[in-house]
Amino acid sequence: MATEKLNIGIILGSTRQGRVSPQVGAWVKEIAEQRGDANYEIVDIADYSLPFLGTTDGQEQGVAKWNEKLDSLDGFVFIVQEYNHSITGALKNALDSARDAWNNKAAGIVSYGSTGGARAAEHLRGILGELLIADVRDHPTLSLFTDFENGTVFKPADLHLTNVNAMLDQVHAWSGALKTLRQ
């Protein structure tokens, strides 16, 4: 019996000018697509023009489109950069701009920063749990000092390929298992 491929969104967690998350996201997507086990797509929160939560009635077109996009996905890979020991305000706002669309899905985290983005990833894990998103254990961490040339050009070390594939294995397996809860 043939089964449909899962749909996994690679969420870019920054909207800042000069950000490098598109480079990291494209790299993860390239690795993911070589696997052939799911449909992977870049989801850029900057494309949705989300208002700050609580400053409007939440009826804007961008909020509706954001929720529709999340509803269409079975799992996520968050590209997370560390700012002030945490995630970006834009990512927190995007997480808060949806509720049920996140529930009973799996997520992996690829983080970067001066300490590999580990502190941002730990903050994100607490938020994901509250949204009923099961985050997977394997977590590639990228260093601003060794994986980025001049802080702007992404040049990942080869060792990260193993970590990304291990994370994707877990995201795929957990996304498939959790999909049964949503059917």
Side-chain angles (χ1 to χ4, degrees), residues 107-179:
I109 301 169
V110 176
S111 64
Y112 60 90
S114 61
T115 60
R119 297 171 293 208
E122 286 307 308
H123 281 193
L124 180 58
R125 287 180 193 282
I127 297 164
L128 296 181
E130 188 63 25
L131 294 171
L132 299 180
I133 302 171
D135 60 293
V136 302
R137 182 181 66 91
D138 281 321
H139 164 206
T141 59
L142 307 167
S143 171
L144 286 177
F145 303 113
T146 59
D147 294 307
F148 294 86
E149 188 174 282
N150 298 322
T152 59
V153 179
F154 182 50
K155 294 190 174 186
D158 291 340
L159 65 96
H160 297 302
L161 181 61
T162 301
N163 296 335
V164 170
N165 273 306
M167 178 210 52
L168 291 170
D169 286 344
Q170 293 171 3
V171 169
H172 185 265
W174 285 34
S175 294
L178 289 169
K179 187 171 184 170

Side-chain angles (χ1 to χ4, degrees), residues 49-159:
S49 301
L50 297 170
F52 283 111
L53 186 69
T55 60
T56 68
D57 64 4
Q59 300 302 310
E60 291 79 11
Q61 186 177 15
V63 175
K65 286 186 177 191
W66 176 243
N67 277 271
E68 287 172 21
K69 173 49 66 185
L70 297 176
D71 275 334
S72 74
L73 299 170
D74 298 305
F76 313 100
V77 173
F78 288 92
I79 307 300
V80 181
Q81 43 289 83
E82 186 171 307
Y83 293 115
N84 297 323
H85 292 221
S86 192
I87 62 174
T88 65
L91 178 56
K92 179 64 166 96
N93 188 60
L95 289 160
D96 291 343
S97 293
R99 186 77 187 165
D100 295 339
W102 296 114
N103 295 173
N104 296 316
K105 296 179 181 179
I109 301 169
V110 176
S111 64
Y112 60 90
S114 61
T115 60
R119 297 171 293 208
E122 286 307 308
H123 281 193
L124 180 58
R125 287 180 193 282
I127 297 164
L128 296 181
E130 188 63 25
L131 294 171
L132 299 180
I133 302 171
D135 60 293
V136 302
R137 182 181 66 91
D138 281 321
H139 164 206
T141 59
L142 307 167
S143 171
L144 286 177
F145 303 113
T146 59
D147 294 307
F148 294 86
E149 188 174 282
N150 298 322
T152 59
V153 179
F154 182 50
K155 294 190 174 186
D158 291 340
L159 65 96

